């Protein structure tokens, strides 16, 4: 890389036979032109731009544009306390932002400052550190080195030396405390955090009759500990990353090292590292959109869970779990359509009862998709009905067209759902009764709706709420609306074409390069049996082959159960 000094050595114009290369200057002030001959030293960075042949002045051309990938340089920590405070005032608003605390003290003749954010600091640990430092005599401070503070005088479990200013700021913004000692170009970064949070509670979307009642919270360290408590496996790995230029959100990739497919792990890790975004204030949902990049596809390509036992089970299958700090749910990667239909309650019951509950759920989800469109089709085409279904149809027509009644009912159910979320809990039950009974009854009596529309819409809504995955339930609702509009527009042809397109869409989807409709497409007989039946634990010996696990057998050392 050549800087402007090279231009001062060659006066006048120079004729070039080869293109002139423009490079980023070492001082960071822009681009400069390389005026060396062809046989000059070739140890330089790759040129970013070539100028056209011709006469160029020896004075370098400066283009004020930053390079695409500029290496991060370490920023030293000031050795003077006054400079340290001045830099805090400039960068983080010290003396302006009320929650920034800089506790200054003098021990012997050495000035010490503790820099932390008031809401994050664990005062008991910091108080113990101050007590220990006050016990030292003045002559001990004069002979004490920075390494002695790190090794002897700071009674905390997690303490590291940090020479870089930006890393120190990230650590303090993440809840740590920086101990600055005047005269040293390092700080001691003390992990004394006390995040505001709540106790683990049973998640409302994944309740079970029998089973654990703890669920994930907004603190990532608590969440990974809940999983570690269930998986005492030395092969369990937690990799930490940070995403977001401003939020610096902590992200943890969890997997079992001797089970997970390493290529899939590398792909997911690289996708997360490549995310360039201002921040992730909405945590895991924004990370999903930044990594999956599925466009307008309504179907979820990742599974969310708020239960530690569910995440532990998937890790043992060979899945990868992604924890995002401040999110009470965990992403499970990859996933399939049939994974989204399963619930923890099925595995808390006997195999027979678990299979029964699974089939009831399947029937409810199928009803939420196809019951309304099929009834609407039989109403428009009575000749398609078999004799046993002659009772299906509209006994008395309403004042509104049938398709309008369906659309209004769909919007009404969505309004009820949103109102229930935003209504205080003591009033939610009363509001639901008023909306479901009074409004529905009055709508039928006034002739706006027919009884059958209200009945089948209620059954479809129950099936949607029975779907374990909230995101999948909303996606199925969109498909149901598309089928209703297709039936209203093209009758039988519309239903057949829309259903086929829906099925092809699912078959073409892939979740992190894994087939979304496995084990149906590609067909896997053993995998399909595990979907249709809740197989007993000791008979469920194989892990799903679509995950390509390193160990396909669940039994230890390949032993089969008796």
């Amino acid at each position: 890389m050549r800087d402007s000094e090279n231009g001062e050595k060659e006066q006048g114009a120079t004729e070039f036979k080869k293109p002139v290369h423009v490079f980023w200057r070492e001082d960071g002030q822009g681009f400069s032109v390389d005026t060396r001959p062809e046989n000059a030293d070739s140890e330089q960075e790759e040129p970013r731009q070539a100028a056209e042949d011709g006469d160029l002045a020896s004075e370098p051309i400066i283009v004020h544009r930053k390079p695409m990938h500029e290496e991060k340089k370490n920023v030293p920590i000031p050795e003077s306390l006054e400079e340290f405070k001045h830099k805090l005032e400039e960068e983080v608003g010290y003396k302006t932002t009320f929650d920034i605390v800089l506790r200054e003290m003098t021990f012997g003749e050495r000035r010490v400052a503790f820099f932390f954010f008031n809401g994050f600091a664990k005062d008991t640990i910091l108080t113990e550190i101050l007590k220990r430092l006050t016990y030292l005599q003045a002559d001990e401070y004069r002979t004490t080195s920075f390494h002695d503070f790190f090794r002897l005088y700071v009674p905390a479990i997690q303490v590291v030396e940090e020479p870089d200013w930006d890393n120190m700021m990230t650590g303090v913004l993440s809840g740590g405390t920086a101990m600055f000692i005047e005269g040293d170009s390092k700080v001691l970064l003390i992990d004394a955090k006390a995040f505001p949070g709540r106790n683990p509670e049973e998640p409302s979307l994944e309740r079970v009759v029998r089973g654990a009642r703890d669920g994930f919270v907004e603190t990532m360290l608590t969440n990974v500990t809940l999983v570690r408590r269930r998986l005492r496996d030395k092969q369990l790995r937690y990799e930490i990353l940070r995403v977001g230029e401003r939020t610096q959100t902590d992200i943890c990739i969890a997997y079992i090292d001797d089970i997970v497919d390493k290529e899939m792990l590398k792909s997911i890790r690289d996708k997360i590292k490549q995310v360039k975004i201002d921040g992730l204030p909405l945590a895991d949902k924004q990370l999903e959109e930044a990594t999956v990049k599925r466009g307008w596809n309504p179907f979820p390509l990742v599974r969310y869970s708020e239960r530690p036992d569910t995440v532990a089970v998937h890790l043992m299958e060979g899945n990868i779990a992604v924890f995002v700090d401040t999110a009470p749910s965990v992403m499970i990667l990859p996933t399939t359509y049939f994974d989204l239909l399963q619930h923890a309650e099925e595995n808390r019951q006997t195999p027979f009862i678990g299979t029964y509950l699974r089939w009831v759920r399947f029937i409810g989800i199928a009803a939420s998709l196809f019951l309304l469109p099929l009834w609407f089709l039989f109403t428009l085409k009575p000749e398609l009905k078999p004799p046993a279904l002659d009772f299906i149809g509209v006994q008395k027509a309403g004042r509104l067209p049938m398709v309008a009644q369906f659309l209004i009912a769909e919007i009404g159910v969505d309004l009820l759902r949103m109102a229930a979320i935003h209504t205080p809990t003591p009033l939610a039950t009363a509001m639901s009764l008023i909306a479901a009974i009074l409004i529905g009854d009055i709508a039928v009596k006034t002739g706006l709706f027919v009884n059958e529309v209200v009945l089948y819409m209620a059954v479809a809504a129950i099936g949607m709420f029975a779907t374990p995955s909230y995101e999948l339930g909303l996606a199925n609702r969109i498909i149901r609306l598309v089928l209703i509009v297709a039936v209203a527009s093209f009758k039988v042809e519309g239903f057949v074409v829309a259903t086929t397109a829906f099925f092809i869409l699912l078959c073409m989807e892939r979740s992190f390069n894994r087939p979304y409709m496995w084990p149906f497409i590609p067909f896997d007989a053993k995998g399909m049996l595990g979907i249709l039946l809740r197989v007993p634990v000791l008979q469920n010996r194989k892990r799903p082959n679509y995950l390509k696990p390193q160990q396909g057998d669940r039994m230890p050392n390949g032993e089969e159960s008796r």
Side-chain angles (χ1 to χ4, degrees):
M1 184 180 298
R2 301 294 295 257
D3 56 12
S4 60
E5 294 178 359
N6 186 64
E8 297 175 359
K9 296 178 182 179
E10 298 179 11
Q11 301 296 330
T14 305
E15 183 177 358
F16 293 93
K17 301 295 184 181
K18 299 292 182 181
V20 178
H21 300 302
V22 182
F23 305 100
W24 180 254
R25 290 166 55 93
E26 293 180 352
D27 55 8
Q29 299 300 319
F31 286 97
S32 63
V33 177
D34 185 4
T35 58
R36 290 182 296 181
E38 185 178 1
N39 57 357
D41 184 13
S42 60
E43 294 181 0
Q44 58 182 348
E45 296 182 2
E46 286 294 326
R48 298 185 180 275
Q49 180 181 358
E52 295 181 354
D53 295 347
D55 294 338
L56 294 176
S58 59
E59 184 66 25
I61 298 175
I62 305 300
V63 182
H64 292 283
R65 186 178 62 184
K66 291 185 178 180
M68 188 176 299
H69 300 288
E70 185 177 358
E71 294 184 1
K72 179 183 178 297
K73 298 181 180 179
N74 289 337
V75 180
I77 295 176
E79 297 185 6
S80 170
L81 181 57
E82 299 302 326
E83 294 179 9
F84 186 80
K85 291 192 293 184
H86 179 69
K87 200 163 186 176
L88 290 179
E89 292 177 8
E90 289 183 344
E91 292 200 9
V92 292
Y94 172 57
K95 296 183 179 178
T96 302
T97 304
F98 79 95
D99 63 337
I100 296 179
V101 179
L102 189 68
R103 178 72 166 92
E104 300 180 42
M105 299 187 73
T106 301
F107 299 103
E109 297 178 355
R110 307 196 67 170
R111 300 176 69 188
V112 177
F114 290 86
F115 166 48
F116 57 90
F117 284 81
N118 197 17
F120 290 154
K122 195 173 184 63
D123 53 354
T124 55
I125 296 179
L126 296 181
T127 302
E128 288 298 322
I129 294 174
L130 292 177
K131 285 182 180 178
R132 177 66 179 271
L133 293 176
T134 55
Y135 293 153
L136 298 178
Q137 301 299 323
D139 56 346
E140 293 179 303
Y141 282 108
R142 297 189 187 96
T143 59
T144 296
S145 64
F146 182 87
H147 187 66
D148 290 334
F149 276 98
F150 171 71
R151 193 166 48 92
L152 302 173
Y153 302 146
V154 178
I157 297 176
Q158 296 181 345
V159 184
V160 295
E161 299 180 10
E162 184 55 64
D164 183 66
W165 174 270
D166 291 336
N167 291 341
M168 179 205 72
M169 290 302 307
T170 302
V172 175
L173 288 169
S174 300
T177 299
M179 178 180 174
F180 173 82
I181 303 171
E182 192 170 42
D184 291 300
S185 58
K186 301 182 199 176
V187 297
L188 292 180
L189 199 56
I190 306 168
D191 189 10
K193 302 175 183 177
F195 289 136
R198 57 185 175 89
N199 294 325
E201 300 173 354
E202 185 178 13
S204 59
L205 293 178
E206 298 176 90
R207 292 183 180 275
V208 293
V209 178
R210 302 283 184 188
R213 304 297 178 182
D214 56 344
F216 292 129
V217 296
E218 287 76 15
T219 304
M220 189 176 70
L221 184 59
T222 303
N223 294 342
V224 298
T225 305
L226 290 174
V227 176
R228 176 75 74 176
R229 182 183 179 189
R230 290 167 169 82
L231 276 178
R232 299 175 181 176
D233 190 348
K234 60 185 179 182
Q235 295 292 331
L236 179 60
R237 302 287 186 264
Y238 288 139
E239 294 185 13
I240 194 73
L241 301 172
R242 279 201 176 101
V243 175
E245 187 68 24
R246 293 186 180 275
T247 60
Q248 292 288 314
T249 304
D250 291 325
I251 295 173
C252 173
I253 303 176
Y255 59 92
I256 298 180
D257 193 49
D258 59 349
I259 296 179
V260 70
D261 178 23
K262 292 302 180 66
E263 292 185 3
M264 180 177 66
L265 173 63
K266 182 179 182 301
S267 174
I268 292 175
R269 185 194 294 122
D270 291 343
K271 283 181 179 292
I272 295 177
K273 287 183 178 180
Q274 291 170 5
V275 173
K276 304 299 179 184
I277 194 171
D278 205 29
L280 297 174
L282 299 182
D284 49 3
K285 194 61 183 176
Q286 284 184 315
L287 181 64
E288 177 200 346
E289 292 185 13
T291 53
V292 177
K293 299 178 181 178
R294 60 186 179 182
W296 293 94
N297 179 15
F299 288 97
L301 299 182
V302 303
R303 180 180 180 180
Y304 289 95
S305 179
E306 298 181 28
R307 295 188 62 89
D309 51 359
T310 299
V311 174
V313 168
H314 279 82
L315 287 174
M316 295 180 66
E317 298 279 349
N319 292 88
I320 296 172
V322 178
F323 297 78
V324 183
D325 195 26
T326 72
S329 56
V330 173
M331 292 193 297
I332 301 173
L333 312 174
T335 190
T336 67
Y337 186 85
F338 296 100
D339 281 341
L340 300 170
L341 303 182
Q342 299 183 35
H343 192 270
E345 178 66 23
E346 301 160 3
N347 297 292
R348 296 289 183 178
Q349 305 297 331
T350 63
F352 183 85
I353 299 300
T355 301
Y356 167 74
L357 295 176
R358 184 172 294 184
W359 272 95
V360 169
R361 183 172 291 109
F362 287 168
I363 293 172
I365 295 172
S368 70
L369 274 171
F370 299 110
L371 183 62
L372 276 175
L374 282 175
W375 179 83
F376 190 25
L377 180 61
F378 287 150
T379 302
L380 297 178
K381 289 284 195 177
E383 63 273 14
L384 298 177
K385 294 185 295 183
L389 299 180
D390 284 338
F391 64 92
I392 293 179
V394 179
Q395 304 298 327
K396 182 180 179 182
R399 297 183 180 180
L400 293 176
M402 197 69 64
V403 65
Q405 295 182 35
F406 283 128
L407 295 179
I408 293 175
E410 290 281 2
I411 296 175
V413 171
D414 275 332
L415 286 175
L416 282 176
R417 177 181 58 83
M418 290 186 287
I421 294 174
H422 300 299
T423 303
T425 303
L427 302 178
T429 303
M431 186 209 67
S432 300
L433 291 174
I434 292 174
I437 297 177
L438 293 182
I439 296 179
D441 184 61
I442 293 173
V444 171
K445 287 184 178 179
T446 55
L448 294 178
F449 287 86
V450 296
N451 290 318
E452 289 83 355
V453 170
V454 177
L455 171 64
Y456 292 122
M457 190 66 224
V459 174
I462 292 174
M464 187 196 73
F465 291 124
T467 306
S469 172
Y470 180 71
E471 293 79 12
L472 181 62
L474 294 179
N476 288 342
R477 165 168 291 184
I478 298 299
I479 297 301
R480 182 171 69 238
L481 286 173
V482 172
L483 292 176
I484 290 173
V485 173
V487 169
S489 302
F490 304 104
K491 309 296 189 297
V492 177
E493 294 80 3
F495 179 80
V496 173
V497 171
T499 303
T500 304
F502 159 61
F503 182 72
I504 293 175
L505 173 66
L506 291 179
C507 294
M508 293 177 61
E509 284 298 335
R510 298 183 70 83
S511 174
F512 290 90
N513 204 28
R514 296 298 191 274
Y516 192 56
M517 287 297 289
W518 184 92
F520 186 63
I521 294 179
F523 185 76
D524 186 325
K526 291 184 179 179
M528 200 66 198
L529 182 65
I531 295 296
L532 298 178
L533 304 177
R534 211 287 269 171
V535 182
V537 173
L538 295 181
Q539 297 180 15
N540 192 13
R541 301 192 181 110
K542 298 295 182 181
R543 294 187 172 91
N545 57 22
Y546 83 99
L547 293 172
K548 300 179 182 179
Q550 300 178 56
Q551 299 180 12
D553 202 318
R554 298 176 190 269
M555 297 299 116
N557 300 323
E559 297 178 359
E560 294 187 359
S561 59
R562 296 180 180 178

